[in-house]
Amino acid sequence: VKPPPGGGSLMGRIRYELDGLSPDECEHMVTRSYLTEQYRMHTTICKAVSRLSYDSKLTTSAATAAGRKFQNALVSICLTDGLESRFSGTSWGNEAEVAAVAEVVALFASGGRQDQVLVVTPYSTQRSLIRKQLAENKLPHVVVNTVDAVQGDEADFLVISAVRTTPGMSQFAQDRRRVNVAVSRARHVCVLVCDARAVGNSPSWSSILSDSH
C-alpha cells in the first residue's frame, strides 16, 4: 500500500487507499471505530493515552484494572542539567538521560526481571548509548529500541528517554501519534526521562505529564 502524503498509521494508510480520506481523517476513523476498551495498560496510563488520542473515550477493562496494582504508574523524571548532542545526521543522544535510564532499569530489572523491561527512545544514537550502558551494567537482556520499532510490543515496565533539551526542536515531542505509541507500550509502569525545558511546551507531553508523578 502506498503511504498517503504526511504518513499515518498502517490502518490509516489502508483506509486512505480505499476511501480517499486524508491521513488525519483515517486516524480519526480508525481510533474511534475500533478501540474503546483496552486490556494492557494501568488505568492511570490509559487515562493519559485516552485524553491524548481517543477524546477521553478509551477505558480499561475491569480485569486489567484489577491486575494493575502500582499506585504511581506514570512517573516523570525531568532533568535540568542534561545536554543533547548531535552524533550523526538527525540522530541525537543525551548522556545524562542514559545514566538516569540505567538507574531506573536497574531498579525494575532486579531479581532477574530483565525481560519485563522495555526502553524506548526516538533516536537510534540514544538507543545505542543506552544499550552500551546497560551491557556494562550487566543488564544486556533488557530490550532497548526506537519508538518506530516497538509498535505492537509491550512490557510490564517501560522507560522512555525523550533525549532533546532544546524547547520546540523535538519532532518526536510534537508528534501525537508517536508519543501515543511510546507511552502505550506499558502494562504496569511508565517512566518518562526527559528535559523539563523541552517537553514543557509540547501539547502531547503536557497531556501525558498532567497525570504523572
Side-chain angles (χ1 to χ4, degrees), residues 1-53:
V1 176
K2 182 178 71 174
S9 66
L10 177 58
M11 185 64 74
R13 293 175 186 179
I14 293 172
R15 285 297 185 90
Y16 176 83
E17 291 292 334
L18 294 178
D19 300 333
L21 300 176
S22 71
D24 286 341
E25 289 172 327
C26 294
E27 194 73 20
H28 183 89
M29 176 180 288
V30 169
T31 56
R32 277 61 177 186
S33 299
Y34 291 107
L35 190 62
T36 57
E37 185 176 49
Q38 63 87 26
Y39 304 88
R40 174 190 299 157
M41 297 173 281
H42 188 288
T43 52
T44 300
I45 303 172
C46 175
K47 179 182 177 183
V49 169
S50 180
R51 184 170 57 247
L52 175 67
S53 297

Side-chain angles (χ1 to χ4, degrees), residues 103-122:
E103 290 188 26
V104 176
V105 168
L107 177 65
F108 287 150
S110 62
R113 299 183 297 179
Q114 293 189 46
D115 62 340
Q116 299 178 26
V117 184
L118 173 64
V119 180
V120 176
T121 181

Side-chain angles (χ1 to χ4, degrees), residues 10-179:
L10 177 58
M11 185 64 74
R13 293 175 186 179
I14 293 172
R15 285 297 185 90
Y16 176 83
E17 291 292 334
L18 294 178
D19 300 333
L21 300 176
S22 71
D24 286 341
E25 289 172 327
C26 294
E27 194 73 20
H28 183 89
M29 176 180 288
V30 169
T31 56
R32 277 61 177 186
S33 299
Y34 291 107
L35 190 62
T36 57
E37 185 176 49
Q38 63 87 26
Y39 304 88
R40 174 190 299 157
M41 297 173 281
H42 188 288
T43 52
T44 300
I45 303 172
C46 175
K47 179 182 177 183
V49 169
S50 180
R51 184 170 57 247
L52 175 67
S53 297
Y54 298 94
D55 291 339
S56 297
K57 295 178 181 177
L58 180 64
T59 61
T60 303
S61 74
T64 300
R68 305 293 186 260
K69 302 297 187 182
F70 285 89
Q71 182 175 356
N72 296 331
L74 187 57
V75 179
S76 59
I77 300 176
C78 291
L79 307 180
T80 57
D81 57 352
L83 180 65
E84 64 184 26
S85 300
R86 187 196 296 269
F87 283 76
S88 61
T90 59
S91 193
W92 296 79
N94 184 318
E95 295 282 3
E97 286 194 15
V98 171
V101 166
E103 290 188 26
V104 176
V105 168
L107 177 65
F108 287 150
S110 62
R113 299 183 297 179
Q114 293 189 46
D115 62 340
Q116 299 178 26
V117 184
L118 173 64
V119 180
V120 176
T121 181
Y123 299 102
S124 59
T125 292
Q126 187 75 345
R127 175 189 61 190
S128 298
L129 293 172
I130 294 172
R131 284 177 176 175
K132 181 175 181 291
Q133 184 63 60
L134 293 182
E136 292 176 358
N137 293 0
K138 303 188 186 312
L139 295 169
H141 302 302
V142 172
V143 174
V144 184
N145 225 327
T146 60
V147 176
D148 298 325
V150 297
Q151 189 156 0
D153 293 349
E154 57 185 78
D156 286 350
F157 305 104
L158 171 70
V159 186
I160 302 172
S161 174
V163 180
R164 299 300 300 274
T165 60
T166 304
M169 294 304 294
S170 173
Q171 293 182 346
F172 167 63
Q174 307 304 327
D175 190 331
R176 175 180 55 81
R177 294 183 183 91
R178 295 178 79 206
V179 172

